[in-house]
Amino acid sequence: MAFRLLPYIPSKDELIRIVVSKYKSTEAPAPSIDPGFIKLRRLETRRVRETSRYLIELVRDIVMNMPFVDKLHPFYRDLLDLLIGIDRYRHALGKLAHLPTAIRAIEKDTLFLIRIAGSREEIIKARRMYIGRVIDLIEDIAPELDYLREAVKKMKRLPAISPDLYTIVVAGMPNVGKSSLVRAVSSAKPEIAEYPFTTKEIHVGHIRLYGDAVVQVIDTPGLLDRPLSEMNEIERQAVLALRHLAKVILFLIDPTMHSGYELERQIKLLEEVVQNFGNVPIVVVINKVDIASREEVEAAREAVSRYVREVHEISAIDEGSARRMIMDIVDRYIVPMFIRELRSGSR
Ligand SMILES: Nc1nc2c(ncn2[C@@H]2O[C@H](COP(=O)(O)OP(=O)(O)O)[C@@H](O)[C@H]2O)c(=O)[nH]1
Ligand SMILES: [Mg+2]
């Protein structure tokens, strides 16, 4: 995941320390028998050049290695925008990107002053001016450095979800069997990932198909398990970012009372998911048929029929039924997309 390898961003004070120590530790080009004044001029010239080059490289390294927003997958772009504000991010990087030009200008002025200096004092004065102006420059970008440090911290915590894999998102009220389903259909133990604006961790399972094809199944506790109308706007947006990811949404319903949620409340959530993710196909999966009565299953079927056409019945604790259902979804939703992309050459 691109967000794991992010540049280290020093604080303002750190950067000042780095610059000053670089300056001090730069030594004269070669031992010489030059008289003191000429020697000093050579030394200071070198220090100014080296320090400027070092600082420019350091700043460039940060600017070049921070994520390029335009290249991000819309899923990550949405989340990043909510977390750090993309306009502000662009602005901060833009300001940093300008630094090398400013440093070059200071370097040029200083080298000129050193060249025309007629005494040691004048050289020392030029050095002081150089250090002073560079520090001013760093002070000036202090807010951007602080902001970018914070941004890096947040980026590192973005969920490690591969946005380019075909993704099935599992929704439904708590205790309806989402985690059980993801476990049952995953080839390996689902991975745990943080998701911004929720205290719960999401679980990411992978279904290995023929060849190298992998389908990702995401369980979203804290996100798609409660009404979007009860969320604040930022949480809502964070949930909606999932629409860039989901190729299919499986909406799980527990027709028994075991989950603790009445059918009516589950249907209310379904309605909101349908309203908010209108462009993503939504399939209802009635779970726990091993303990549900026929009447409970029929009542659930009847209630969801207003919102979706496709309904499956499974028991997530019976791996066979969960797998059959998921392979049916893969065959009918994912494989056609896969073939379309193969044909169009986008994959
Ligand atoms: N009998 C039965 N219990 C199930 C089934 N699916 C899940 N459960 C149980 O329901 C409870 C909640 O399941 P879980 O997967 O944690 O639900 P989640 O909160 O939606 O992730 C657990 O005790 C599961 O063992 C099922 O198909 N049949
Ligand atoms: Mg769960």
Side-chain angles (χ1 to χ4, degrees), residues 106-209:
I106 299 172
E107 178 188 11
K108 201 170 149 228
D109 292 352
T110 313
L111 292 178
F112 176 73
L113 289 178
I114 292 175
R115 189 145 36 88
I116 62 162
S119 63
R120 283 183 70 91
E121 289 66 38
E122 278 174 32
I123 291 181
I124 302 295
K125 216 171 116 190
R127 169 211 285 186
R128 260 197 231 114
M129 186 206 75
Y130 176 78
I131 298 281
R133 282 179 66 185
V134 168
I135 289 178
D136 282 350
L137 213 57
I138 295 174
E139 302 265 3
D140 190 47
I141 55 154
E144 280 71 30
L145 290 175
D146 286 345
Y147 164 82
L148 288 173
R149 279 163 74 80
E150 203 49 42
V152 162
K153 244 191 252 167
K154 289 177 175 165
M155 285 176 187
K156 284 189 174 158
R157 297 181 58 183
L158 281 172
I161 293 173
S162 317
D164 297 323
L165 289 181
Y166 291 100
T167 302
I168 297 173
V169 169
V170 181
M173 298 296 280
N175 296 320
V176 297
K178 298 184 297 297
S179 302
S180 308
L181 171 65
V182 170
R183 263 197 311 273
V185 300
S186 297
S187 316
K189 202 167 169 246
E191 287 161 22
I192 293 173
E194 285 184 58
Y195 198 94
F197 311 110
T198 173
T199 52
K200 296 184 191 125
E201 279 148 338
I202 63 170
H203 295 235
V204 186
H206 295 95
I207 308 169
R208 220 155 264 292
L209 306 178

Side-chain angles (χ1 to χ4, degrees), residues 173-180 219 287-288 290-291 315-317:
M173 298 296 280
N175 296 320
V176 297
K178 298 184 297 297
S179 302
S180 308
D219 171 21
N287 190 30
K288 307 195 185 178
D290 54 312
I291 51 170
S315 168
I317 55 169

Side-chain angles (χ1 to χ4, degrees), residues 159-273:
I161 293 173
S162 317
D164 297 323
L165 289 181
Y166 291 100
T167 302
I168 297 173
V169 169
V170 181
M173 298 296 280
N175 296 320
V176 297
K178 298 184 297 297
S179 302
S180 308
L181 171 65
V182 170
R183 263 197 311 273
V185 300
S186 297
S187 316
K189 202 167 169 246
E191 287 161 22
I192 293 173
E194 285 184 58
Y195 198 94
F197 311 110
T198 173
T199 52
K200 296 184 191 125
E201 279 148 338
I202 63 170
H203 295 235
V204 186
H206 295 95
I207 308 169
R208 220 155 264 292
L209 306 178
Y210 13 78
D212 289 335
V214 170
V215 171
Q216 193 169 238
V217 191
I218 301 185
D219 171 21
T220 57
L223 295 172
L224 281 173
D225 67 354
R226 64 200 173 99
L228 282 89
S229 54
E230 290 169 15
M231 297 175 181
N232 68 41
E233 188 51 26
I234 289 180
E235 286 174 316
R236 222 175 66 83
Q237 292 300 326
V239 173
L240 288 178
L242 288 169
R243 72 175 177 266
H244 299 300
L245 221 51
K247 296 286 189 261
V248 183
I249 294 176
L250 294 187
F251 191 93
L252 251 68
I253 288 204
D254 176 354
T256 73
M257 283 297 113
H258 285 82
S259 67
Y261 295 100
E262 306 267 343
L263 186 57
E264 210 175 301
R265 283 200 65 186
Q266 300 186 57
I267 300 296
K268 176 86 185 94
L269 178 61
L270 172 62
E271 188 181 335
E272 291 200 9
V273 172

